[in-house]
Amino acid sequence: MLSMSHQKIILTGDRPTGKLHLGHYVGSLAARVKLQDTHRQFIMLADMQALTDHAHEPEKIRQSVLEVSLDYLAVGIDPKRSTILIQSLIPALPELTMYYLNLITWNRLKHNPTVKLEIQQKGYGEEIPAGFMVYPVSQAADITAFKANVVPVGDDQIPMIEQCVEIVRKFNRLYKTDALVEPEILTSPIARLPGIDGKAKMSKSLGNAIYLSDSADEVAKKVKGMYTDPTHLRVEDPGKVEGNPVFTYLDAFATDKAKVAELKAHYQRGGLGDSVVKKYLLEALQAFLDPIRQRRAEFARDPQAVMDLVFKGTEVAKQVAHNTLLEVRGAMGMNYL
Ligand code: TRP
């Protein structure tokens, strides 16, 4: 069992609203695969958080719980070393959320930059679901319930961790306790993978993603249509490497760094066609994705076995979160029983 108390604790998670893509891999999955050797890692399928902006699509969330679990297993998250759990099956989380909601102001919530951006992108106007407005508080419950010291996530999550730290400090000060632990964010070296259209972020809603589960043909088609340097019209023209997603992906996924450096230099000099670089990128991506696809297909043969792994993790997590809840209620002097 991974209960060695000297290990640092990680809590991280995803909203299950679709399959995971290369951006998820670079932004956090790669770190999780490494960190499971050295940390006590909890990985949350944040289905309640998914409902805050997908209340109309519970079926999609339910299906995505399985799909995302398959993605986790396929990239090498090992249920023996990491605990995968389903948020909505842990009753301590909404209970903690209710207590924390009293420790943060409405004004503070309104100024969370990531939430503001999402409100804009989703076009909510004045009709923001209340649950959506407060999801950072529920995320603070996720993190603190497991006493996480480290949260490895993309840089869009920085405001969530900041709000969590504020809540932890307020709680510990107000109730004169050290029951809650301040988390630290761990961002990845490649904070954001651009989309295949060259837009700043690969995302499902922008329709510019390559999924971990895409077939070889789908990947080939997507790479072929990738945005490059729009001013690189003829092969002999010098091309730009910065802001050219083909090269960003090569940096992230090609293992032969010397070859990538050579391609970059050649491209910048002129004389290297987009199709040649894309062909090399495709090879690199297929080499990266092939084993992932294979493992995914193997696990997908027995979905019940996958769900059983997740349910088992959830049971472990439920106990941990419940213990924190008892401490929290104790600190508040609200343990009636
Ligand atoms: N907000 C995260 C995202 O959109 C998902 C998430 C939910 C999460 N709870 C979390 C991430 C706790 C880290 C820790 O990707």
Side-chain angles (χ1 to χ4, degrees):
M1 262 313 282
L2 278 170
S3 55
M4 288 173 282
S5 56
H6 60 273
Q7 273 186 324
K8 283 206 172 179
I9 301 170
I10 290 180
L11 182 281
T12 178
D14 299 280
R15 291 183 199 170
T17 56
K19 299 172 178 186
L20 302 184
H21 51 63
L22 293 179
H24 292 113
Y25 185 83
V26 167
S28 69
L29 293 175
R32 297 179 196 176
V33 173
K34 280 214 188 98
L35 291 165
Q36 64 186 346
D37 291 329
T38 49
H39 290 63
R40 174 79 180 95
Q41 179 162 254
F42 296 91
I43 304 179
M44 178 181 288
L45 294 150
D47 58 344
M48 281 199 293
Q49 188 177 117
L51 281 168
T52 66
D53 64 337
H54 284 76
H56 56 295
E57 289 180 302
E59 190 48 38
K60 180 166 159 187
I61 294 171
R62 196 195 145 105
Q63 280 165 7
S64 299
V65 163
L66 174 63
E67 297 294 342
V68 173
S69 300
L70 285 169
D71 289 329
Y72 287 164
L73 297 171
V75 297
I77 285 169
D78 172 5
K80 288 201 193 72
R81 286 176 287 163
S82 295
T83 302
I84 304 174
L85 60 120
I86 298 178
Q87 185 187 31
S88 67
L89 295 179
I90 314 241
L93 298 176
E95 193 171 337
L96 288 171
T97 304
M98 286 302 285
Y99 301 143
Y100 297 168
L101 278 169
N102 305 317
L103 305 181
I104 189 161
T105 67
W106 188 247
N107 194 44
R108 176 69 181 89
L109 285 169
K110 279 196 303 197
H111 290 103
N112 179 310
T114 298
V115 172
K116 268 164 78 176
L117 183 70
E118 285 177 294
I119 287 169
Q120 220 178 45
Q121 286 170 343
K122 292 171 200 297
Y124 283 145
E126 292 298 305
E127 304 302 316
I128 309 161
F132 186 79
M133 248 352 254
V134 303
Y135 90 71
V137 182
S138 135
Q139 193 161 325
D142 299 342
I143 294 166
T144 55
F146 298 94
K147 300 196 182 245
N149 322 88
V150 186
V151 186
V153 277
D155 61 356
D156 60 319
Q157 295 296 303
I158 292 170
M160 307 307 157
I161 311 306
E162 285 172 352
Q163 271 187 333
C164 179
V165 167
E166 287 169 33
I167 288 170
V168 167
R169 288 187 184 158
K170 180 98 192 244
F171 183 93
N172 286 348
R173 200 173 57 237
L174 188 61
Y175 300 116
K176 301 185 176 50
T177 175
D178 56 4
L180 299 186
V181 175
E182 278 184 35
E184 231 177 83
I185 189 164
L186 186 74
T187 49
S188 101
I190 302 179
R192 256 172 219 211
L193 199 68
I196 53 173
D197 56 359
K199 294 223 175 89
K201 194 180 170 187
M202 180 176 284
S203 99
K204 179 179 24 128
S205 48
L206 294 174
N208 61 7
I210 295 177
Y211 292 91
L212 296 168
S213 49
D214 275 350
S215 70
D217 285 350
E218 282 166 318
V219 176
K221 214 162 82 199
K222 287 180 181 177
V223 169
K224 216 176 194 170
M226 260 180 91
Y227 174 95
T228 61
D229 171 6
T231 65
H232 185 237
L233 297 175
R234 287 167 307 181
V235 172
E236 57 274 23
D237 290 342
K240 276 205 269 313
V241 162
E242 298 79 39
N244 186 334
V246 175
F247 287 99
T248 315
Y249 290 15
L250 279 174
D251 282 335
F253 297 104
T255 47
D256 187 346
K257 302 293 169 206
K259 172 83 180 171
V260 173
E262 187 189 307
L263 287 171
K264 281 183 183 171
H266 194 175
Y267 194 79
Q268 285 169 317
R269 251 190 345 261
L272 183 60
D274 281 349
S275 61
V276 179
V277 193
K278 284 183 174 177
K279 188 161 170 271
Y280 186 71
L281 171 62
L282 184 59
E283 277 169 29
L285 280 181
Q286 302 292 30
F288 169 75
L289 287 170
D290 270 340
I292 294 178
R293 273 193 289 256
Q294 240 168 51
R295 273 199 300 271
R296 202 180 192 283
E298 276 163 34
F299 282 112
R301 268 192 247 134
D302 193 350
Q304 191 53 52
V306 172
M307 289 312 292
D308 285 344
L309 286 173
V310 176
F311 292 144
K312 236 169 97 184
T314 303
E315 280 312 309
V316 173
K318 206 168 163 174
Q319 199 53 53
V320 176
H322 183 69
N323 289 342
T324 304
L325 177 70
L326 291 182
E327 272 185 75
V328 159
R329 293 192 57 133
M332 295 166 70
M334 302 271 287
N335 267 348
Y336 298 113
L337 301 175

